[in-house]
């Protein structure tokens, strides 16, 4: 029994009514419920049963939180969430919703690509204050190395499948991140915003200095 | 300037005398120096110049630590280091030396494969006390998922190139770990014990509860 | 002439009326007919001609069995069918229908993933009584190794294409299973529930102790 | 505790003296000990401690069997071992030694390639009498499909890394075998003669008709 | 200027009206015109302009032949066209139409898989009379090796993308054929029935014994 | 029994004395014997037993031919053998020796790369007179397409593993050749000079116009 | 701030209204705006706001240019744009629009495949006058090597995903181009006409001789 | 005949004496001769015949230049050569020697990795003055994107095979560079310092402003 953590439903390949039923039954015994990869069709079924459920249509997540859980845990360290291009937003938002439902305060730094390095450097001070940084990037995924070189806290790198041709649906960015020459970078699956957010929240939770 | 962290030399492709000179110059201005992928030929050159340097021939690391740095930082959380087979030991030891030179107290759980799950379950209590768990595994790399399912702290999974045939030099275990259905698992490069140890130590450092 | 075995139709790429005609002609001279990868469109055509045909819409199989063949052969050993996640059910059911149409008694253990190892261990006694175990798993496919380590009978591992990103449509789980460090595990093609069920039934047939 | 089964040592990456010590300690409490991937250097160390140990230099296996275990178990079904080319012999012999140390009677059909199909057909009667057939083949690995089409018992296919160019170290034969259009074929890792022999012996053990 | 050969239009990615116009202009100056990968939409546009054009909806080819070209050239050697499963027919028919429009007499041997080797052996005499054999096969593609071992004339092997999972859209059958241990086998691209038919016709044209 | 064709020994992985014995026994009952991938160590053993055997150290072939077989069969069509770079010579020579031992007259066009297209065009007239053209090329393997576009006879393309980096040991040139947009090109395995020579000789044999 | 260069919008994955708004805001402060991968739906939204915007439906680009920018910069060197087949036109046109919006004069040489080498050679004089040559080719991509061998200026090779089977969505042509044995060839991503046009224009801009 | 350009010998797979003879004969009729991938064994043979030849043992190049060619052509634009790690030096030096033998003035910026971005930014002014920038990087190859984002001239990216595990011998850095989200980056083969230097020199030659 994983106390305090959300129960999570992975909606891919499940019918809307199936998800709605699972969601409802989980709400009964849990403070937080998170559904990922949820279409709006699915959300429509869910909110019928659970009107308090909230949908993020970019992230494609449905979240139910007991009132008391709605504000981030002020004791946890901050998670910085850096993402490269407009097209990576869906994955970044999945990471955001996951980390915050787990109680972590998250600060977003979106549209910060390596091809315009100065924009990233402007955020240097804010990044170095975080307990943990999530980097979401597609195409060549180089952002993780640059961020990893700047900060001295764990970086969780999440490759996305954004790109074409020799990107091979995210393979390229994933390999880039795994080969990062910066220390303190570990990697989750392609498009796994959920996994990145979860890992970052676990880490931020430790940081109660 | 990364205060408190070791300076690191990656020896692959460097000549023994080159490494020795770099090592000596780093010792002058740093409390900790770590060299990875070091042959004993390299160590022989290094200890000539720095007699206090210590060699771990399994890990293939050379470490120099100022006296004051030699005991783990008691304020940091504990790192649990789980490894599967005898052949994964070299990578596990690289992770061990890296984490401890960074100040983290490390507890080892070696020879704990999934094909004999009961041995792993025996360590359940000790694992759940760690701030962070490193899992080093080759072959099919399934250990990361099992451990990830048992503990509620970040798991850093390090695939090794141990195996043959459809293992494709660690590709198989790396993919296994990236696809882990357990939450809270992130992955470093194949055989990158250094990276796993480094990330785990960064995390353990946050845990000063 | 394969006496006693079902005649099998692989429906992928065949027109509904083609399948229906082949089905009808096979029914004339065989005790058992099995069609796999059958859409419900195909089933509608088939049941028009063969009203006794039965459809499993999860497995996407159509089965015709002479009355006398409908109960499993009590002399055969039991097949245990273990599957990991909800999304693997379609493949697991294909394996189920195939094994049972060949006469094998099959016991199902569904929703038994490695990330919650205790649920699997609860079934330990039942698993060890089988002649043969089928393991159906997607994502990282680690379940085959854990089951292989628990039982002393042949394990037929069937990877599924469930997953995303670095799963590469089942490649990851397939490689995991081929690299299994547990002895007594052999593997069929990705999503080949038919092949797993067939092989398991052949094995269970030998076990007339 | 796996009663009756051999204890197995995988020698790859272990020092001769390490293997010898493990071997000696296992001999104390077991009826059968098998070491695979053993160089003759390793065997020389082992026989020093255990003079009764026997080396198969083609298979690169070392076997110790208590006197009573030396004859195959006459109650078990027969394993037929089919192999394609001269170069596949090492893997075939590893399968042979493994199956027989587990008690299975094994009959060999070597040098039976698909490019000369008549030689294979000559053995038709003998093959159909086996409980289980092992097929060891490199290059294009087509033999598994042809044998699978001939017999009605489980076929365990073992691809080898023999070949060059587009063989990609056994990938080609492995994929061929996984895609076999013959039913009743399951596959072990490339060059995994041990795994094939083990699985076949488990199956043959069931066949006590 | 390639006298006697058909002009060929590859329709993939071209608009129906574009194909129709190209077709019409080629008919003016050529004895034979062949369009491949043609949808029936395309054929409808073409036959509007060229009523004598003939469509093979399985092969997805459109052919126009001057009256005098309609019978195979009796001086050319015979092409034998062997194909494995029902699903490979589309590719086989593309090969058929291509070879015959080039003047080669073609004899078909369809539905001859390796899993039922005896059906193939029944055609032995007819196969050995051909100047050249085309083998079209998907799944594991083993048929090319078996046929190559039977006949002493050139075999043109055409892998198809039929299959699933570890077939990787024809990669598996292509690798099998390239690794064939039978001599006298060369390979064209996956699903390239056109290329196989063309090469076979070139060869058969030489055989005017 | 394949009358007239050479018996062939593939030496890779065989001991010198093994090859020598096989060679000697084949010489007794055959007019032609060909050994490929033969080191000079192997040749030394062979010529001890068969002094008439001839070694081509570039091709790494050993050939024995009865006196009467030593001149090419004047009835066969000519094989043109085109090769790209200096480094492809070993494979080209293997093709040469194979084709000529089978009786085909072979004309060589070496050192004809696509980066200097004019050299190739100079040979246009000679190429168009052949019955069949072999193209041996590494690096990007583009030569096969250019030659295929020039001639109207079958082209047998043989990729070599010459190159580095993104060549991936011949994969690049193999894919290039399989995708050739010129008609009448079929492909053998990487570095398979033997296969190319064999196929070309089979084709040239048909051309007795 | 990149003076003189166009601002570029990559439309893939953006909503029509989003693109239109970005486009409008860029027009305010820039002389040139280029949108790539734009559907006609997107263009309809854009031209509503910016009536002067021009659409190339083959290239799928939208371009806005201040009057003064509409003629190529006569000081720049000429870019020659060579493309192989009809199906590569979309990518070639993207390269064309990109290069010309950056000010480069571009001359097109379309439908120039290697399988008909003489057509290419006819353009020899014109090609050698360019400052830079773009080669766009799918299938086997051999054209880049042939052109690279003819000219003495930089060749920018752009592989396309045109092809099937062993083309693997452009992987084959990309590898061919990277392995080119002609000097002076560098490569952009598969289907990246934008990248090729951009790089060629940068180079042509240097050539103000 | 490529006037002014060096004649180039690719030594891989050639015997020392072969290289020496080719070198000598080229020196007779050329102003510049370059040999790449030359071992010191090869150099020893060459300098025996051509005492003026110069060896760069890091680059593994041998260069002969007529006196008049020894200074860079002051009319050409400058090439900036940026490289990431110590281990990439060999490839960078091959690029250096190639570019300068072709007449280009080259400025080196070595040891400038993305993990320490500030070092790179320090060189900003010098980089922006070049006509063309070469980026040599292994591991994750992210440097090309960062440099591409900083400068407005063509960047020639050369991936190296430096790295391990998921680097797959340079595949990772190559894919990174091909997917670069910075405009104006084109890529040569892995470890192809020669190709990068050649292309950069061709470009710099155009820049005679
Ligand atoms: N075993 C290792 N694997 C990957 N990176 C490493 C390893 N050891 C050291 N490094 C990294 O390599 C850097 C030193 O590289 P170098 O300057 O070439 O000695 C360190 O800062 C680490 O980030
Ligand atoms: N789901 C499946 N996956 C793989 N092979 C199958 C499947 N279902 C049936 N088969 C095989 O396909 C054969 C029938 O193919 P067909 O003659 O094309 O209908 C059967 O004999 C089985 O061996
Ligand atoms: N077809 C294309 N392929 C690759 N990159 C492109 C393409 N079109 C535009 N870009 C790049 O994408 C950037 C704009 O991306 P965005 O801000 O997402 O619109 C531009 O600056 C270009 O560098
Ligand atoms: N390091 C290198 N990598 C790739 N190609 C090279 C290299 N060095 C030389 N070359 C090419 O190889 C050609 C000479 O090849 P060869 O005639 O075999 O000596 C030259 O014209 C160059 O185009
Ligand atoms: Mg860092
Ligand atoms: Mg966990
Ligand atoms: Mg077991
Ligand atoms: Mg069978
Ligand atoms: Mg043959
Ligand atoms: Mg041709
Ligand atoms: Mg050139
Ligand atoms: Mg730039």
């Amino acid at each position: 029994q994983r106390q305090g953590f959300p129960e999570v439903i992975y909606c891919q390949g499940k019918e809307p009514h199936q998800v709605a039923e699972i969601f409802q039954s989980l709400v009964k015994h849990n403070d937080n419920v998170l559904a990922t990869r949820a279409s709006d069709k699915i959300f429509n079924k869910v909110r019928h049963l659970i009107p308090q459920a909230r949908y993020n249509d970019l992230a494609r997540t449905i979240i139910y939180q007991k009132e008391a859980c709605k504000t981030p845990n002020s004791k946890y360290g901050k998670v910085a969430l850096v993402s490269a291009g407009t097209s990576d937003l869906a994955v970044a938002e999945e990471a955001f919703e996951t980390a915050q439902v787990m109680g972590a305060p998250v600060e977003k730094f979106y549209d910060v690509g390596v091809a315009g390095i100065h924009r990233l450097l402007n955020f240097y001070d804010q990044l170095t204050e975080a307990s943990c940084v999530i980097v979401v990037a597609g195409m060549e995924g180089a952002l993780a190395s640059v961020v990893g070189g700047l900060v001295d806290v764990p970086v969780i790198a999440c490759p996305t499948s954004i790109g074409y041709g020799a990107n091979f649906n995210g393979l390229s960015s994933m390999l880039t991140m795994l080969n990062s020459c910066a220390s303190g970078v570990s990697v989750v699956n392609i498009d796994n915003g959920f996994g990145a957010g979860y890992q970052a929240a676990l880490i931020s939770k430790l940081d109660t200095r």
Side-chain angles (χ1 to χ4, degrees), chain A:
Chain A
Q1 189 71 28
R2 294 180 309 182
Q3 209 118 28
F5 290 177
E7 284 301 317
V8 187
I9 309 165
Y10 175 63
C11 299
Q12 201 79 37
K14 300 207 175 84
E15 295 298 318
H17 73 94
Q18 281 183 297
V19 174
E21 282 154 31
I22 305 174
F23 206 104
Q24 190 177 36
S25 79
L26 291 176
V27 161
K28 286 196 192 119
H29 309 291
N30 291 279
D31 292 351
N32 304 306
V33 179
L34 165 64
T36 64
R37 310 280 160 113
S39 60
D40 38 23
K41 249 190 190 155
I42 286 180
F43 176 55
N44 282 335
K45 281 277 178 209
V46 169
R47 80 166 144 193
H48 211 78
L49 300 180
I50 311 289
Q52 315 92 301
R54 178 174 58 76
Y55 190 52
N56 178 332
D57 63 349
L58 202 49
R60 301 179 68 221
T61 52
I62 308 171
I63 285 182
Y64 164 85
Q65 285 178 294
K66 281 251 167 73
E67 223 32 66
C69 304
K70 280 194 174 157
T71 43
N73 190 325
S74 63
K75 283 195 178 160
Y76 291 9
K78 201 173 59 183
V79 171
L81 171 54
V82 182
S83 108
T86 325
S87 344
D88 299 319
L89 283 189
V91 178
E93 284 288 299
E94 194 186 75
F96 169 71
E97 293 289 3
T98 304
Q100 72 83 0
V101 84
M102 290 179 68
V106 183
E107 190 169 358
K108 299 182 192 176
F109 303 86
Y110 282 1
D111 210 10
V112 181
V114 287
I117 199 79
H118 292 293
R119 219 176 111 66
L120 175 65
L121 297 176
N122 287 341
F123 297 124
Y124 180 74
D125 292 345
Q126 287 146 283
L127 289 176
T128 53
E129 278 160 20
S131 300
C132 175
V133 184
I134 298 172
V135 176
V136 176
M139 310 286 286
E140 84 274 58
L143 192 57
S145 295
V146 177
V147 171
L150 291 177
V151 304
D152 276 341
V153 291
V155 171
I156 306 303
C158 179
T160 76
S161 57
I162 296 303
Y164 60 86
N167 181 278
F168 299 120
N169 304 315
L171 176 69
S172 168
S173 30
M174 184 184 90
L175 295 181
T176 303
M177 289 168 168
L178 285 164
N179 281 291
S180 179
C181 55
S183 309
V185 176
S186 57
V187 185
V188 297
N189 196 4
I190 298 163
D191 290 334
N192 191 3
F194 164 75
Y198 197 101
Q199 181 78 316
L202 286 185
I203 293 171
S204 108
K205 205 182 147 189
L206 295 171
D207 193 9
T208 54
R209 288 165 301 190

